[in-house]
Amino acid sequence: MQSVQTFLRRLMGPVVPAVIFLALIGATIPAQAQANPATFVNPSFYQAGNILANYSPIGVQELAVGDFNNDGFQDVVVIDSNANVNGFGILLGVGDGTFQVEQSIAVTGSYGNVDSIVTGDFNRDGNLDFAVSWSGSASVVQVFLGNGAGGFTQGTTYTLPIPNYYAMPNGLATADLRGNGDLDLIAVDGHNVEGSIEVLLGNGDGTFQAPVTVAASIGNPIGGVAMADVNHDGKIDMVVGSDDQLDGIYVVLGNGDGTFQTPVFYQEGDNSGVTGIAIGSLTTKKNADVVISTGNGAYVYLNDGKGVFAKPVQYGSSANASSVVIADVNGDNKNDLVVSSSSSGAVWVLLGKGNGTFTADAAVNVGGVAQAVVVADFNGDKKLDLATAANAQLLTVVLGNGDGTFRSSSQYGESNSTIQAIATADLNGDGYPDIVEAGGGTGVGVTILLGSAHGALGAPFSIAVGCGEANRSGVNSIALGDVTGDGKIDIVATSYDDPYNCYENVIGVLAGLGTGKFKKPVYYSTGTTQQSYNITLGDFNGDGKPDIIVENYDGSVSVLLNKGKGIFGTAIVTAGASGYVGTLVVGDFNHDGKLDVAVTDYAQQEVFVLLGKGDGTFGSPIITPSPLHGDAMTGGDFNGDGKMDLAVSSYEGGGSVVILTGNGDGTFNVGNTYVIPAINCQFGDSNPYWMSVGDLNQDGKLDIAVALNENNCATEYNGTEFFGDAVVLVGNGDGTFDLDEGPWIGAGNGAVGSGNGTSGIALGDFNGDGMTDIAVAAFGNSTEQWVSVLQNNTQAISVSPLNLTYPAEKVGSSKVETVVVTNDQKTSLAIDKAVLGGADAGDFILKNGCGSSLADGANCTLTVTFKPTATGKRTAALSLTDGDGTQTVSLTGTGK
């Protein structure tokens, strides 16, 4: 069974590449000032790797961080590789999270195979140096000595004793193997069948002794190397990754003199290839544990302290993990995992529990193919940030919030269950929007991700819905609302099961418990033999209870009237609502106080409006021709005349949205058509589909957020384009809209050309700062499905959350919550004071961690402890006075 979205894609046939421009078709737009754009948090991109204008780099392969000019700010060195010329680029940090223009140096003769880079003070002059490995006519290690001002001179080049012409160093590390204060180099062979390890002992003056092969008995190609004292004997050991059909790690104990013992192999069993390796303490035992990145996620090997490792445990469901870093990114003194994923266009973060286990992974969008990742404090706020080589010539930098989240669109709930649609509501009454996904897969029908105070979503959990409920199930469309009348959000869902061709004509009703959990689904027939599709809620008989309306495969609609307490009557079927299944929009289109419904008809290039009679039935369709074949549709009063208007998306012309202006009687006039360019590709189609309406730039006028199904992307980044999966049409309040590069938002979800797309969009204030954010259901391929949350930063200051509610606490006990203040303006923000006030201010304790100023793009944390002195409801207010005025956070708690 194919989804509506899939069917419409196939129905359209081949698409024609769109020219990158904004076209307006239809009525002339009056001259006016352009509306303020709605802006969203995205990573910062920096050009990296443009070595020579005559060559086009295939991508940054590796990177490292360090203070190369001794100014106290972290800098980045990147390696770039192409067919004929290789080199590196230095990006000097400014100290605020931004970087100067890259300084490039070419290295000739390496034929596109520059691989790894390490930093260290090789000549003991107090300045940071670096070494790179590459192969051409031979495999070599090359040393570059720093002058302390950000410049480097090329040192000696060392040829490695690797006999195979096609062999190449696949990892480079540095350590003091002899304990004499001189750094040595370790290079591993990534392609030789009899993978080997080469050691270059340092002389302490920037030169090294001739490479010597150690541990030559390793029988597999090697994918990465890391150094640490794994058995607590005071001698540096090495761990290397096996990059072949016997994936795992080799532990090679050091003798303390630059020689090593016989390797010991620990198999992982993935057989997808080790791409990176990291060593760090993951438990309170302070042992050197090991994590590897592979084509199937990350694997953790816990160390018993004697250099013996337990059977590995897999974490993260992401395919094609490309590198891994161990670091404490949330400041709890427990190491976390930061893993780049080359297929999902993201870096995912797993927070450590201090016992060698980790939370479910959330991810940060980095705008393209995520290769190597590094972690450092780039803006000097004492919170760890991340940088990765994302796609072609770009370095992507994402600033950290200090709590394990990052200032970029974040991705949650990765799974191999196909997401068909998403919706948002507060399912557990905590004041924060939650996400509900419609999807399919074994035991999957709807998947729920609960929201939290600062916009982060929790681990997903699923409920089986649909035919074959215990074994296989699927949901094509969902709607959220209180259909039982108990004040708790319920779910209604259409049922289908694609993998098993289980066609159903039923609707599942899942009564909410008010905790984020739901009762088992109760099923109702749609009254037809046709597959049910798009579903929504509305009071169609005027009794104050939400009814269900669903469109069916044959273009009919079924209405199920609510009898109370979520019990529904026999379906009322209206045939010929449209020529074929389409998207539903419910509203009072003729101002008679009765709900009507509009339906797209792709095949006939029309919009059908059925005027409601107030009893669940409808009159004959009123048809409005559309200039485009309509895919999805949404509605709102776009011109402020009190009449319902419609917006219809279409794949035609590479991607367009047409506005239909309502006349108040069920008919419409054709307004402007907006062609949306595929801005992340020089040649490609944006293919807008899912839409949602809200005030995204806070000007009191309705805007339209559009999710894109981009394809035919044939080129890589050029340094000026965004990887976008959502775009905002900013409303002018008169039925016209503005579109430019400003509103483009990156939702992540895959590499250019990987078949990325979206399957739903929803709006909500996910971090509670008063600005409407966007959630997009996104997928990179069949194994990676995501929900991306795109945080709105239109206003100058974000205070998250503006309403802080504590769970009930015993009198005398306490509960700590935080308020995060983020400066989204382009200048520093002066912070004058933060004070508590209100009726029960004495029940709250404030700790101000914001200081006197906040840099551009930085954030700070206010800690508020609730310690009730009496039972019952306790209220107060936190007032923050700064250069932008006064922001107030309401505080509510209950003593028990």
Side-chain angles (χ1 to χ4, degrees):
M1 184 70 206
Q2 62 185 351
S3 68
V4 180
Q5 181 184 11
T6 303
F7 173 85
L8 291 175
R9 287 177 180 172
R10 294 176 179 174
L11 187 63
M12 291 194 65
V15 289
V16 179
V19 178
I20 304 217
F21 70 104
L22 169 64
L24 299 175
I25 307 170
T28 302
I29 298 178
Q32 59 186 305
Q34 187 178 33
N36 292 327
T39 60
F40 292 78
V41 177
N42 273 300
S44 299
F45 299 111
Y46 297 91
Q47 193 75 30
N50 281 340
I51 300 169
L52 293 176
N54 294 332
Y55 298 99
S56 177
I58 64 170
V60 181
Q61 302 298 319
E62 188 62 273
L63 68 160
V65 294
D67 183 4
F68 299 121
N69 58 351
N70 294 321
D71 62 356
F73 305 138
Q74 291 294 308
D75 311 311
V76 176
V77 56
V78 298
I79 282 183
D80 181 78
S81 135
N82 63 63
N84 296 293
V85 177
N86 292 270
F88 61 88
I90 304 296
L91 290 92
L92 297 178
V94 177
D96 59 359
T98 64
F99 294 84
Q100 299 179 26
V101 176
E102 181 217 18
Q103 305 170 24
S104 297
I105 297 179
V107 179
T108 58
S110 57
Y111 301 102
N113 291 324
V114 171
D115 177 78
S116 299
I117 186 169
V118 292
T119 62
D121 184 4
F122 301 133
N123 58 358
R124 293 200 185 195
D125 66 351
N127 301 322
L128 202 57
D129 314 308
F130 70 89
V132 297
S133 60
W134 53 268
S135 66
S137 57
S139 295
V140 303
V141 170
Q142 197 165 44
V143 176
F144 293 86
L145 300 177
N147 62 8
F152 294 85
T153 57
Q154 183 171 320
T156 307
T157 298
Y158 302 89
T159 301
L160 301 178
I162 300 176
N164 186 346
Y165 175 82
Y166 295 102
M168 183 179 76
N170 199 29
L172 189 63
T174 186
D176 181 4
L177 300 178
R178 297 162 293 174
N180 62 357
D182 297 332
L183 287 179
D184 310 306
L185 291 173
I186 304 93
V188 297
D189 176 14
H191 292 284
N192 193 296
V193 175
E194 299 295 331
S196 62
I197 303 169
E198 322 297 335
V199 171
L200 296 80
L201 296 178
N203 296 317
D205 59 0
T207 66
F208 294 81
Q209 298 177 30
V212 175
T213 300
V214 299
S217 61
I218 289 178
N220 293 318
I222 299 172
V225 58
M227 312 298 295
D229 180 6
V230 301
N231 60 351
H232 294 290
D233 66 351
K235 303 170 185 176
I236 297 295
D237 313 304
M238 76 170 72
V239 180
V240 297
S242 173
D243 189 19
D244 201 6
Q245 294 184 359
L246 290 177
D247 286 352
I249 60 172
Y250 286 93
V251 177
V252 192
L253 298 180
N255 294 318
D257 58 359
T259 66
F260 291 84
Q261 301 175 28
T262 302
V264 177
F265 182 60
Y266 295 85
Q267 188 167 353
E268 167 260 300
D270 183 334
N271 299 338
S272 62
V274 177
T275 57
I277 189 167
I279 300 179
S281 176
L282 302 178
T283 72
T284 56
K285 297 178 181 179
K286 305 302 180 185
N287 297 325
D289 306 306
V290 173
V291 184
I292 58 173
S293 57
T294 76
N296 197 36
Y299 287 80
V300 173
Y301 295 79
L302 294 181
N303 185 355
D304 69 353
K306 299 177 182 179
V308 178
F309 291 82
K311 182 179 179 180
V313 178
Q314 180 187 10
Y315 288 92
S317 55
S318 176
N320 298 320
S322 48
S323 70
V324 59
V325 172
I326 297 174
D328 178 14
V329 296
N330 64 344
D332 64 353
N333 296 316
K334 302 170 185 176
N335 273 332
D336 313 305
L337 303 183
V338 180
V339 186
S340 57
S341 172
S342 60
S343 60
S344 64
V347 171
W348 35 283
V349 178
L350 297 93
L351 298 180
K353 298 179 181 180
N355 61 358
T357 65
F358 298 85
T359 62
D361 55 302
V364 183
N365 166 42
V366 294
V369 179
Q371 298 179 44
V373 64
V374 293
V375 174
D377 180 8
F378 292 117
N379 61 346
D381 63 354
K382 299 182 180 180
K383 301 169 184 176
L384 289 179
D385 314 308
L386 64 87
T388 183
N391 227 12
Q393 317 87 287
L394 291 183
L395 175 73
T396 303
V397 177
V398 185
L399 299 180
N401 295 321
D403 59 356
T405 65
F406 292 81
R407 291 284 288 164
S408 178
S409 57
S410 299
Q411 301 175 334
Y412 299 93
E414 181 191 22
S415 70
N416 58 8
S417 171
T418 302
I419 301 175
Q420 297 290 331
I422 62 170
T424 183
D426 182 5
L427 304 179
N428 57 357
D430 64 355
Y432 307 117
D434 309 306
I435 291 287
V436 180
E437 304 171 356
T442 301
V444 178
V446 296
T447 298
I448 296 166
L449 299 90
L450 297 179
S452 63
H454 303 305
L457 299 178
F461 59 92
S462 297
I463 304 173
V465 180
C467 57
E469 188 176 295
N471 300 312
R472 62 185 191 270
S473 59
V475 166
N476 203 29
S477 180
I478 51 175
L480 308 180
D482 180 13
V483 301
T484 57
D486 62 357
K488 302 169 184 175
I489 297 295
D490 311 304
I491 302 173
V492 296
T494 57
S495 171
Y496 88 109
D497 195 31
D498 192 13
Y500 295 89
N501 294 317
C502 178
Y503 299 87
E504 285 203 328
N505 58 336
V506 298
I507 294 166
V509 177
L510 292 79
L513 301 177
T515 61
K517 300 295 181 67
F518 293 81
K519 294 180 180 179
K520 293 188 67 174
V522 177
Y523 295 101
Y524 296 88
S525 171
T526 61
T528 77
T529 60
Q530 302 294 313
Q531 171 68 55
S532 54
Y533 276 102
N534 294 306
I535 192 170
T536 191
L537 300 175
D539 181 7
F540 293 100
N541 60 353
D543 64 355
K545 296 186 281 287
D547 308 310
I548 297 172
I549 185 169
V550 60
E551 189 173 23
N552 306 306
Y553 191 82
D554 60 355
S556 66
V557 294
S558 300
V559 173
L560 289 79
L561 297 178
N562 192 338
K563 293 184 176 182
K565 297 184 178 180
I567 299 172
F568 292 85
T570 303
I572 303 169
V573 180
T574 301
S578 68
Y580 189 73
V581 62
T583 306
L584 301 172
V585 173
V586 171
D588 184 2
F589 294 112
N590 62 346
H591 291 281
D592 65 352
K594 303 169 185 176
L595 277 186
D596 314 309
V597 61
V599 190
T600 56
D601 188 321
Y602 173 87
Q604 299 185 58
Q605 203 168 319
E606 295 169 335
V607 172
F608 287 55
V609 173
L610 289 80
L611 298 180
K613 297 181 180 180
D615 58 0
T617 65
F618 300 92
S620 300
I622 300 172
I623 299 174
T624 298
S626 169
L628 302 171
H629 292 275
D631 293 325
M633 182 168 61
T634 190
D637 182 6
F638 301 136
N639 58 0
D641 64 355
K643 302 170 185 177
M644 191 79 164
D645 309 310
L646 296 172
V648 180
S649 66
S650 175
Y651 282 11
E652 288 187 83
S656 306
V657 173
V658 62
I659 306 299
L660 303 178
T661 304
N663 295 316
D665 58 0
T667 65
F668 294 83
N669 296 320
V670 177
N672 299 310
T673 296
Y674 299 87
V675 175
I676 299 176
I679 201 164
N680 74 312
C681 314
Q682 292 185 11
F683 303 99
D685 305 321
S686 64
N687 292 345
Y689 196 91
W690 310 97
M691 295 182 292
S692 192
V693 172
D695 181 10
L696 296 171
N697 64 345
Q698 298 185 301
D699 65 353
K701 304 167 186 175
L702 288 181
D703 312 307
I704 304 173
V706 188
L708 310 178
N709 287 309
E710 299 168 303
N711 62 14
N712 291 349
C713 298
T715 60
E716 297 177 310
Y717 290 86
N718 65 9
T720 61
E721 297 171 340
F722 290 95
F723 185 79
D725 287 311
V727 65
V728 175
L729 291 166
V730 179
N732 295 311
D734 59 358
T736 66
F737 295 84
D738 291 330
L739 171 65
D740 58 24
E741 290 187 10
W744 285 84
I745 312 147
N749 81 13
V752 171
S754 69
N756 52 296
T758 58
S759 53
I761 192 167
L763 304 183
D765 183 4
F766 292 101
N767 62 345
D769 65 352
M771 294 183 282
T772 301
D773 309 310
I774 298 176
V776 178
F779 54 91
N781 52 49
S782 61
T783 63
E784 293 181 75
Q785 315 293 320
W786 296 89
V787 169
S788 295
V789 175
L790 317 174
Q791 290 192 357
N792 194 328
N793 66 346
T794 298
Q795 65 188 24
I797 307 298
S798 168
V799 178
S800 168
L802 289 170
N803 298 283
L804 191 53
T805 301
Y806 293 80
E809 287 291 324
K810 292 182 180 180
V811 173
S813 64
S814 62
K815 174 66 175 177
V816 177
E817 297 286 358
T818 59
V819 175
V820 176
V821 181
T822 305
N823 179 18
D824 285 318
Q825 60 189 4
K826 299 302 181 183
T827 59
S828 63
L829 175 70
I831 296 180
D832 299 323
K833 62 180 179 178
V835 296
L836 292 173
D840 304 306
D843 287 27
F844 298 86
I845 303 168
L846 171 64
K847 181 180 179 181
N848 186 350
C850 285
S852 60
S853 66
L854 195 58
D856 169 24
N859 62 66
C860 61
T861 301
L862 301 166
T863 302
V864 185
T865 302
F866 173 51
K867 190 174 182 179
T869 59
T871 59
K873 186 177 182 180
R874 317 297 291 170
T875 62
L878 165 63
S879 296
L880 175 70
T881 303
D882 52 48
D884 194 56
T886 299
Q887 289 82 35
T888 302
V889 179
S890 66
L891 307 173
T892 304
T894 301
K896 64 178 183 179

